[in-house]
Amino acid sequence: MSNQVIPYGRQHITEEDIQVVIDTLKSDYLTQGPKIKEFEDNFASYVGAKYAVAVANGTAALHLCALALDVNKGDKVITTPITFAASANCVRYCGGEVIFGDIDPKTYLLNIDSVRTLLKESPKGTYKGIIPVDFAGRAVNLEEYRKLANEYDLWIIEDACHAPGGFFVDSHGEKQFCGNGNHADLAIFSFHPVKHIASGEGGMITTNDETLYKKLLTLRTHGIVKDNDLYENTVAFAGGDESYPLWYMEMQTLGYNYRITDFQAALGNSQLKRADEGIAIRRMIADRYQAAFADLPYIKGQSGSIEGHAYHLYILEVEDRLGLYNFLRTKNIFAQIHYIPCHLMPYYREFGWKEGDRLQAEQYYKHCISLPMYPTLTEAEQEYVIEEIKGYYK
Ligand SMILES: *Cc1c(COP(=O)(O)O)cnc(C)c1O
């Protein structure tokens, strides 16, 4: 077993997945074919949202959301420091300013109290939006965030990259699935191979807002509009007589090419069918880790069996993290660290962020480690991981 690397996460590609990609490659479409709409429709119904827009990757999804919400130079947006940098970078792509809140040391999620404090400190209108992250697969309580956002006229982009299929339970006892659009204006997902659903590269935006949905469709393809009812130039200019000629289209805003390909969508679609099965296995793995590490003095912050947790990651906070990490590598167990606090990345330090600014996030970073967590991790492999960790501290 120890000759084979056990990573912290990995994709699971079945024969059926391979077959649908081959079928699509043999079809008339490589890009912009029927598989994209099919994937969008299936994904929207999976998370319970009205609309879904498939895009090239999760970062493109975030960028399009920031564009659709008109993030502009100087606009202030709040997000968490414990996330992949893309959650924050989308604000910078549009010239906005990223303000990091701090995390809750129990859930590792953006602490709503830290957000409230930031909002109270400045005149209303200073901030434009919040980007909470369903970090590690644990759903943010967006019902609470929506209340706060309404108070301050803010939009919400839910970064749900870690949590397709995850949910929180709202104050009425209802399950609110990540990306269902009931509280956030927009939600985004990634189909990078370490995420729940893999399409190579790929991403999705979900929303219940029709206006935003239409904007996203245009922005995804260069800002081009192809709709007789929406053209701004005249029929005569377009070269038609009574109506616009069939070839006609207009670029009305500055968009991008952020499209996904048809064969990636076919793969995503096929993977989506197994999404619930994957989460069930992830929860089982989490429960086994939880049972194995319960009450060990060198490990804290265990998080087994939390309702609605989608377990993209299984995180421990440990003593001597560096020693454990290096030891596990010698055993071919490639744990990972999620994340280096974003506000202390050299790029964000340029804006004045410094050590001590977000204490809970910085403290968390000193001890966190993500253990192998993916549906094809066997019980024997997990047992090996557990034994090696316990062995290290003996
Ligand atoms: C993966 C990820 C992204 C970016 O997705 P890509 O598809 O890699 O561009 C954004 N936010 C979070 C939290 C992620 O984990």
Side-chain angles (χ1 to χ4, degrees):
M1 177 164 319
S2 55
N3 295 327
Q4 199 182 325
V5 167
I6 303 178
Y8 82 92
R10 62 164 299 155
Q11 74 274 22
H12 177 211
I13 303 289
T14 63
E15 285 305 316
E16 193 186 341
D17 290 341
I18 293 166
Q19 197 52 51
V20 297
V21 173
I22 291 172
D23 292 345
T24 311
L25 289 173
K26 288 178 178 167
S27 78
D28 290 337
Y29 301 96
L30 284 186
T31 183
Q32 301 317 100
K35 291 294 165 196
I36 294 173
K37 189 74 174 75
E38 206 179 309
F39 187 30
E40 288 171 340
D41 290 347
N42 290 339
F43 195 86
S45 74
Y46 178 66
V47 301
K50 272 196 192 144
Y51 308 104
V53 179
V55 293
N57 53 65
T59 306
L62 282 160
H63 187 190
L64 289 186
C65 288
L67 288 166
L69 292 164
D70 292 320
V71 174
N72 273 306
K73 194 161 188 276
D75 287 355
K76 287 189 174 167
V77 175
I78 300 171
T79 191
T80 172
I82 298 299
T83 186
F84 184 59
S87 314
N89 295 350
C90 64
V91 175
R92 295 292 310 135
Y93 297 154
C94 298
E97 192 181 332
V98 181
I99 308 294
F100 295 96
D102 207 346
I103 63 162
D104 177 335
K106 289 201 198 76
T107 63
Y108 314 148
L109 302 177
L110 179 61
N111 186 338
I112 194 165
D113 292 330
S114 80
V115 177
R116 197 175 278 118
T117 303
L118 285 168
L119 292 171
K120 272 189 190 154
E121 278 170 356
S122 302
K124 227 174 161 175
T126 304
Y127 290 94
K128 302 291 186 217
I130 314 175
I131 308 178
V133 179
D134 299 313
F135 174 64
R138 186 172 183 148
V140 168
N141 186 326
L142 287 177
E143 188 185 24
E144 289 174 359
Y145 271 97
R146 185 76 261 172
K147 273 189 215 142
L148 188 61
N150 287 349
E151 228 179 285
Y152 287 87
D153 288 330
L154 308 174
W155 48 254
I156 298 173
I157 300 172
E158 177 187 9
D159 183 337
C161 283
H162 295 184
F167 63 85
F168 72 93
V169 178
D170 71 11
S171 60
H172 309 287
E174 301 282 329
K175 288 180 184 176
Q176 296 288 342
F177 282 87
C178 298
N180 72 4
N182 286 346
H183 304 97
D185 298 87
L186 296 163
I188 70 109
F189 296 87
S190 163
F191 307 124
H192 180 279
V194 298
K195 311 288 163 81
H196 288 60
I197 296 164
S199 69
E201 298 283 352
M204 193 75 82
I205 306 164
T206 57
T207 183
N208 288 344
D209 183 320
E210 191 182 2
T211 309
L212 287 175
Y213 171 63
K214 287 185 172 162
K215 254 176 140 172
L216 291 167
L217 291 179
T218 306
L219 289 167
R220 174 176 68 179
T221 305
H222 309 283
I224 287 173
V225 170
K226 199 154 173 49
D227 182 339
N228 283 353
D229 296 334
L230 298 177
Y231 292 144
E232 293 173 17
N233 285 329
T234 61
V235 171
F237 165 79
D241 38 29
E242 264 143 42
S243 61
Y244 290 97
L246 284 175
W247 70 74
Y248 192 67
M249 53 83 173
E250 282 182 356
M251 189 208 120
Q252 295 186 339
T253 53
L254 188 62
Y256 294 80
N257 176 357
Y258 278 167
R259 295 183 302 253
I260 194 169
T261 64
D262 219 44
F263 53 94
Q264 286 172 309
L267 177 55
N269 232 336
S270 180
Q271 292 249 315
L272 182 58
K273 288 187 197 153
R274 298 197 312 279
D276 280 337
E277 195 185 306
I279 288 181
I281 299 171
R282 286 169 185 273
R283 288 183 180 144
M284 244 163 53
I285 292 171
D287 285 345
R288 287 204 293 259
Y289 278 137
Q290 167 79 6
F293 298 131
D295 308 321
L296 298 182
Y298 45 84
I299 292 174
K300 57 178 176 141
Q302 302 150 47
S303 63
S305 260
I306 289 163
E307 198 182 6
H309 202 310
Y311 288 106
H312 165 57
L313 302 174
Y314 190 88
I315 296 168
L316 294 178
E317 287 176 87
V318 296
E319 282 169 24
D320 186 20
R321 191 257 314 267
L322 176 64
L324 177 65
Y325 173 88
N326 285 335
F327 172 77
L328 290 178
R329 281 185 77 99
T330 68
K331 300 292 176 183
N332 274 334
I333 299 164
F334 283 41
Q336 188 52 282
I337 306 305
H338 299 92
Y339 288 97
I340 301 158
C342 200
H343 66 293
L344 298 178
M345 288 291 176
Y347 174 76
Y348 283 102
R349 283 183 193 249
E350 282 173 34
F351 297 86
W353 293 97
K354 58 188 190 313
E355 273 156 83
D357 281 346
R358 293 296 177 256
L359 288 173
Q360 298 298 342
E362 292 164 33
Q363 187 59 26
Y364 162 82
Y365 171 61
K366 292 187 173 128
H367 297 280
C368 66
I369 188 164
S370 305
L371 302 187
M373 167 57 85
Y374 48 92
T376 54
L377 181 72
T378 66
E379 210 172 326
E381 284 168 331
Q382 190 183 3
E383 212 41 57
Y384 170 70
V385 172
I386 290 166
E387 287 317 308
E388 292 300 340
I389 291 172
K390 286 184 169 170
Y392 177 73
Y393 289 102
K394 271 229 172 88

